[in-house]
Amino acid sequence: MLTPAELAQILELLGAAIRQRHLSPHTHRAYEAWVRRFVLFHRRRDPRLLGLVEVREFLDHVTEREHVSASTRNQALHALVFLYRDALGIDFGVGGHRLRAKRATRVPLVLERAEVESILGRLRAPCRLLVAVLYGSGLRLSEACRLRVRDIDFAREQIAVRGGKGQKDRFTLLPVRLRQPLREHLARVAEQHRSDLALGGGYVPMPETVSKAGWHTSADWPWQWVFPGERPRLERTTGELRRPHVHENLVQREFAIAVRAAGIIKPATCHSLRHSFATHLLEDGCDIRTIQELLGHKDVATTLIYTHSPNAPRSHPVRSPLDEPL
C-alpha cells in the first residue's frame, strides 16, 4: 500500500514534469486530481506496479459508473499517460492511444445578438463589462479574468491575450463601444489600487519568467488585474497582501442568473459568447482565417465549426426547400 509520503513524492514528480513543459495551473490541478482518484480506485497500490490493464479498468469505471463524457474520459487518460510517460518514465506505447474515447461532433450553441443584449442588460457591474468583453473580443472566460492593465491598448484599439490556451499569445479586437466604459472602470480600479498601496498591499501574482527577472514589482500599476476581486488576501509564502482577479465561478453564476432573467431557454454559458462572437463575425463577412487568429485556434479546422451558420456568406444564398415556389 502506498504511504502518504510516497504518494506525495509521485505527485511532486508529476508537478515537476508539468512545470518543465510549462503547462497551465489548470492542467496541473486536473492531472493531480485524476492521479489521486486512480490511486484510490486501486486501493492505494503503487502506480509503478500497475500498468495498462489497471488504467483501462479505471477508465471503464468512470465511464460506466459515473457516466462521464468522452472528453472527460480522455482528460483522465491524458493525465495517466502523462504520469507514466513523463513523470515515471514508463511508456505504454501504442496501447494508451487505443483507450481514447471518440468525441461527438457538436454544433456550438450561438446566441442571437438581441439575446446577448438582453443578458448584458440584466448583469450587474463589474460582471456586465467582463461579459461584454467576452462577446466583443471573443475571449475565453479564464483569459478575460486574467487580463492585466498592460494588455488593454487603447491607442492600437486591441487587447493582448497572454498565455492563452496552449500558452499562446495573440491580439484581438477592442470594441469601440467598450473603450469609454473600460477607461472609466480602470479609473475606479486605479483608485482601489492606490488604497491597497496605502495599506501595504497592492500586490498581484506575477508571471514566472517576469518574477525571476527581478526588474518589475508586482505592485506596479501595469501588472494589476483589469477585473480584480473584492477582497485582498495575505499570501503566506511571501507575506504580501495580494488582490486576486475576479473568480470565474462568480461570473458564471451571475451569467446563469441573467440568462434565466432574460427568459432564454437555451443552455447558454459564458463560452457561448465566444461561439457567438465567431459566428456573428462570419455572418458579417469576415474571412475564416482572420477569425482563426482572433480566437487563437492552432488549426483552421477548429474554426470551421462556425461555418454551420445558415447565414454565413456563400457564393449562392441558401434557401429552405419549403420556401421555393411550387
Side-chain angles (χ1 to χ4, degrees), residues 22-49:
H22 299 283
L23 301 183
S24 71
H26 290 284
T27 302
H28 189 170
R29 288 193 291 270
Y31 281 16
E32 182 174 311
W34 281 117
V35 170
R36 288 182 181 275
R37 290 183 61 180
F38 176 67
V39 171
L40 290 176
F41 174 78
H42 287 291
R43 301 182 181 181
R44 304 186 69 87
R45 293 171 62 191
D46 192 330
R48 289 166 289 199
L49 304 178

Side-chain angles (χ1 to χ4, degrees), residues 116 120 129-141 143-144 147 151-153 157-161 170-179 182 227 270 273-278 281 290-296:
V116 175
L120 290 175
L129 183 57
L130 192 154
V131 169
V133 170
L134 292 180
Y135 173 65
S137 304
L139 300 185
R140 300 177 178 90
L141 177 57
E143 294 171 343
L147 281 178
D151 298 331
I152 309 295
D153 192 337
E157 302 177 353
Q158 63 186 15
I159 295 177
V161 181
R170 71 179 191 278
F171 292 98
T172 187
L173 307 174
L174 174 58
V176 175
R177 178 175 158 184
L178 296 185
R179 290 170 197 165
L182 270 172
F227 299 105
C270 289
L273 297 172
R274 178 173 162 89
H275 295 321
S276 305
F277 166 83
L281 280 182
T290 300
I291 297 175
Q292 176 194 359
E293 292 179 353
L294 294 174
L295 293 177

Side-chain angles (χ1 to χ4, degrees), residues 201-269:
Y203 297 95
V204 293
M206 296 285 279
E208 185 177 354
T209 54
V210 176
S211 61
K212 288 182 178 179
W215 47 275
H216 282 292
T217 170
S218 61
D220 288 347
W221 168 243
W223 294 97
Q224 300 302 306
W225 305 117
V226 173
F227 299 105
E230 291 186 2
R231 298 180 183 86
R233 300 174 182 172
L234 185 65
E235 178 63 29
R236 295 181 179 179
T237 57
T238 62
E240 296 175 343
L241 190 62
R242 292 182 175 179
R243 186 178 289 274
H245 59 67
V246 63
H247 202 284
E248 296 175 22
N249 290 351
L250 170 64
V251 183
Q252 291 170 332
R253 182 170 65 248
E254 293 289 326
F255 184 83
I257 293 172
V259 169
R260 289 197 298 270
I264 297 172
I265 61 174
K266 297 176 181 177
T269 65

Side-chain angles (χ1 to χ4, degrees), residues 11-317:
L11 294 178
E12 178 55 35
L13 291 174
L14 176 71
I18 289 174
R19 290 189 294 271
Q20 288 172 2
R21 288 153 183 80
H22 299 283
L23 301 183
S24 71
H26 290 284
T27 302
H28 189 170
R29 288 193 291 270
Y31 281 16
E32 182 174 311
W34 281 117
V35 170
R36 288 182 181 275
R37 290 183 61 180
F38 176 67
V39 171
L40 290 176
F41 174 78
H42 287 291
R43 301 182 181 181
R44 304 186 69 87
R45 293 171 62 191
D46 192 330
R48 289 166 289 199
L49 304 178
L50 307 178
L52 193 60
V53 173
E54 288 77 15
V55 170
R56 184 190 297 274
E57 290 176 356
F58 173 71
L59 295 176
D60 290 344
H61 168 78
V62 298
T63 303
E64 297 170 6
R65 298 293 181 89
E66 301 180 21
H67 306 290
V68 300
S69 65
S71 59
T72 302
R73 176 191 168 103
N74 289 339
Q75 185 191 63
L77 172 62
H78 294 160
L80 297 177
V81 169
F82 187 91
L83 168 71
Y84 279 98
R85 183 191 60 204
D86 299 289
L88 302 179
I90 303 172
D91 196 349
F92 293 142
V94 297
H97 299 290
R98 295 173 182 168
L99 300 179
R100 175 183 291 274
K102 182 179 180 180
R103 296 180 60 179
T105 301
R106 307 286 185 188
V107 175
L109 188 150
V110 175
L111 294 165
E112 300 297 330
R113 299 171 200 252
E115 292 174 330
V116 175
E117 293 292 344
S118 181
I119 293 171
L120 290 175
R122 288 167 171 78
L123 285 166
R124 300 175 294 179
C127 286
R128 182 192 301 114
L129 183 57
L130 192 154
V131 169
V133 170
L134 292 180
Y135 173 65
S137 304
L139 300 185
R140 300 177 178 90
L141 177 57
S142 60
E143 294 171 343
C145 291
R146 296 200 306 268
L147 281 178
R148 299 180 188 261
V149 174
R150 65 192 287 264
D151 298 331
I152 309 295
D153 192 337
F154 290 101
R156 294 182 177 271
E157 302 177 353
Q158 63 186 15
I159 295 177
V161 181
R162 307 183 189 277
K165 189 174 182 179
Q167 293 299 308
K168 296 191 295 287
D169 294 352
R170 71 179 191 278
F171 292 98
T172 187
L173 307 174
L174 174 58
V176 175
R177 178 175 158 184
L178 296 185
R179 290 170 197 165
Q180 188 57 32
L182 270 172
R183 290 182 189 274
E184 296 171 358
H185 171 76
L186 289 177
R188 293 189 292 269
V189 174
E191 181 62 31
Q192 181 186 69
H193 179 55
R194 286 190 289 269
S195 300
D196 288 347
L197 289 174
L199 296 174
Y203 297 95
V204 293
M206 296 285 279
E208 185 177 354
T209 54
V210 176
S211 61
K212 288 182 178 179
W215 47 275
H216 282 292
T217 170
S218 61
D220 288 347
W221 168 243
W223 294 97
Q224 300 302 306
W225 305 117
V226 173
F227 299 105
E230 291 186 2
R231 298 180 183 86
R233 300 174 182 172
L234 185 65
E235 178 63 29
R236 295 181 179 179
T237 57
T238 62
E240 296 175 343
L241 190 62
R242 292 182 175 179
R243 186 178 289 274
H245 59 67
V246 63
H247 202 284
E248 296 175 22
N249 290 351
L250 170 64
V251 183
Q252 291 170 332
R253 182 170 65 248
E254 293 289 326
F255 184 83
I257 293 172
V259 169
R260 289 197 298 270
I264 297 172
I265 61 174
K266 297 176 181 177
T269 65
C270 289
H271 202 70
S272 303
L273 297 172
R274 178 173 162 89
H275 295 321
S276 305
F277 166 83
T279 302
H280 294 164
L281 280 182
L282 189 65
E283 292 174 352
D284 290 340
C286 185
D287 65 277
I288 198 74
R289 183 69 178 84
T290 300
I291 297 175
Q292 176 194 359
E293 292 179 353
L294 294 174
L295 293 177
H297 288 161
K298 182 178 180 180
D299 190 346
V300 72
T302 307
T303 318
L304 288 175
I305 63 171
Y306 299 110
T307 58
H308 72 280
S309 172
N311 298 321
R314 292 174 170 86
S315 56
H316 300 286

